[in-house]
Amino acid sequence: MTERILIIGSGAREHSIAAALARSPQQPELLCFGTARNPGIAALTCAYSTGNITDPIAVTAFAREHKPTLAIIGPEAPLAAGVADALWSAQISTVGPTQSLARIESSKSFTRTLLDRHHIPGNPIFQRFTSLDGVEALLDRLGENHVIKDDGLAAGKGVKVFGDHLNTRAESLAFCKELLALGHPFVIEEKLEGEEFSLLSFTDGFTLRHMPAVQDHKRAFNGDRGPNTGGMGSYTDANGSLPFLTPADIAVAHRTNEHVIAALHRDLNEPYRGILYGGFIATRNGVRLIEYNARFGDPECLNLLSLLETDLVAICRAIVSSTLYSLDVDFTPAATVCKYLVPEGYPDHPRKGDPVPVPDPTNLPSTTTVYLGSVDIKQVETNGVVDDTLVSAGSRTLAVVSCGPSIPAAEPLCESALRNIHGPFFHRSDIGTSALISRRIDHMNSLRSVARSS
Ligand code: AMP
Ligand code: GLY
């Protein structure tokens, strides 16, 4: 049977998913239902439609017309909107959890209470609020070490960290009031200090197959300065760990993901089928949990799928048929560095509509790949000839991923591809450099030495 796989979503993450599926020896037919027409994905698919990907009726209508044998959901919003539930109801096996299970990402308090109820270590001190009652008392207890989070999906904009986005107690209280005025419950939690990393696992709800650890870079500018973004770039190391982590840190992250999948099954009595993304932080007191996501990370997915040796189609099939126990999932023991090119002004006031000079793959080393993200096609007239031109659409424009035997071998390949792209765009030149990685290692060493001496 030829697999016919529907990809939901149209960013660089979904482009990398499409490319990994297209590499399969099974030669699947690919379909896409996305927010925009991504030419990178369109080149790999036999049917493509744009629409509201969070509308279960629109997605299932496309699916009924094109009859996929499998679907994979890229972003969080369709998961939170119940698109996986609707696809399963339409008899389409889907990689991506149901709405109820996707609360692991869509509700911060759901996740924190799940961990507590099942005695899974990793939570900071936290409390959920639906009014200002008790807020002052918790702020008294935590002092400046606090973070305030909208208890729902807010596309990265619902989290404010004291010292970064909040500078006085009055600002913290004002943010709480702002959330209440919108009718949003919120969580206040202890601020954790350390180095963040992502540990993703494929799971059919019973078995987990862990992926290499990845580090994303949320801040817009070099040196971790500027506003938070969807993620400016990420790297993995050849040994599957990261230079500032110990084998024990990785083991804790694996165990936490495993316990969470078992706890979800026990509480909700349905298997979590998809990708579980643990957002962890290594602190002086060990590994703690920042958040869970119910999907591949973007950009982490681009690093991970560049290394995936096992057929992604076989993995998706095993996920939906609860047979992941019978499949080994292997990754190439190489390092990867991924960097996003973004429009000037991103993320707050991005330029849009500028032509995107995509590097010609024949001019790139075979270990470097470009994935298209937030782009659009515009008809541009030059000398009376109207041509379709690829233009930027405002969010992360394109990503470059390079592989190599080590991070210092991969990073310059990525950087040289980006440096040859001219126009009103920028990227973080420091991601994956030895200078930045040494800072991470020094930071972690100083935290661990304080822990040892106290
Ligand atoms: P989240 O949406 O929960 O991933 O939060 C976005 C970012 O806020 C994270 O990547 C962290 O950098 C930061 N953050 C969230 N929770 C905490 C915490 N408890 N302590 C320190 N930083 C946090
Ligand atoms: N890389 C962060 C995210 O996908 O949420």
Side-chain angles (χ1 to χ4, degrees), residues 339-423:
K339 304 194 196 201
Y340 259 116
L341 183 83
V342 301
E344 276 178 8
Y346 174 81
D348 295 329
H349 307 287
R351 289 174 60 112
K352 290 180 191 168
D354 293 303
V356 180
V358 181
D360 178 349
T362 58
N363 293 332
L364 297 173
S366 62
T367 50
T368 294
T369 312
V370 175
Y371 295 104
L372 299 181
S374 171
V375 290
D376 207 350
I377 303 282
K378 201 165 78 177
Q379 300 213 308
V380 175
E381 191 188 319
T382 337
N383 302 330
V385 182
V386 177
D387 257 337
D388 282 348
T389 305
L390 191 73
V391 296
S392 56
S395 195
R396 294 174 290 177
T397 311
L398 63 80
V400 177
V401 188
S402 296
C403 298
S406 64
I407 301 168
E411 193 278 334
L413 299 175
C414 185
E415 194 54 33
S416 72
L418 281 157
R419 237 182 282 120
N420 285 324
I421 305 178
H422 303 288

Side-chain angles (χ1 to χ4, degrees), residues 13 76 105 198 216 218 229-231 277 291 293 295-300 396:
R13 166 182 45 206
E76 61 275 25
E105 171 163 8
S198 311
D216 185 17
K218 288 234 155 74
T229 69
Y277 165 146
E291 62 165 354
N293 292 324
R295 52 170 172 88
F296 265 125
D298 186 356
E300 290 96 326
R396 294 174 290 177

Side-chain angles (χ1 to χ4, degrees), residues 35-50:
T35 311
R37 193 171 173 82
N38 180 325
I41 301 175
L44 301 170
T45 48
C46 58
Y48 195 129
S49 185
T50 58

Side-chain angles (χ1 to χ4, degrees), residues 289-355:
L289 179 75
I290 294 275
E291 62 165 354
Y292 267 110
N293 292 324
R295 52 170 172 88
F296 265 125
D298 186 356
E300 290 96 326
C301 182
L302 284 63
N303 303 80
L304 294 166
L305 292 185
S306 302
L307 296 173
L308 183 66
E309 285 180 359
T310 308
D311 175 7
L312 182 59
V313 177
I315 296 174
C316 291
R317 185 46 65 200
I319 286 173
V320 298
S321 54
S322 308
T323 54
L324 199 53
Y325 68 87
S326 64
L327 189 68
D328 286 333
V329 173
D330 296 316
F331 291 86
T332 308
T336 59
V337 174
C338 170
K339 304 194 196 201
Y340 259 116
L341 183 83
V342 301
E344 276 178 8
Y346 174 81
D348 295 329
H349 307 287
R351 289 174 60 112
K352 290 180 191 168
D354 293 303

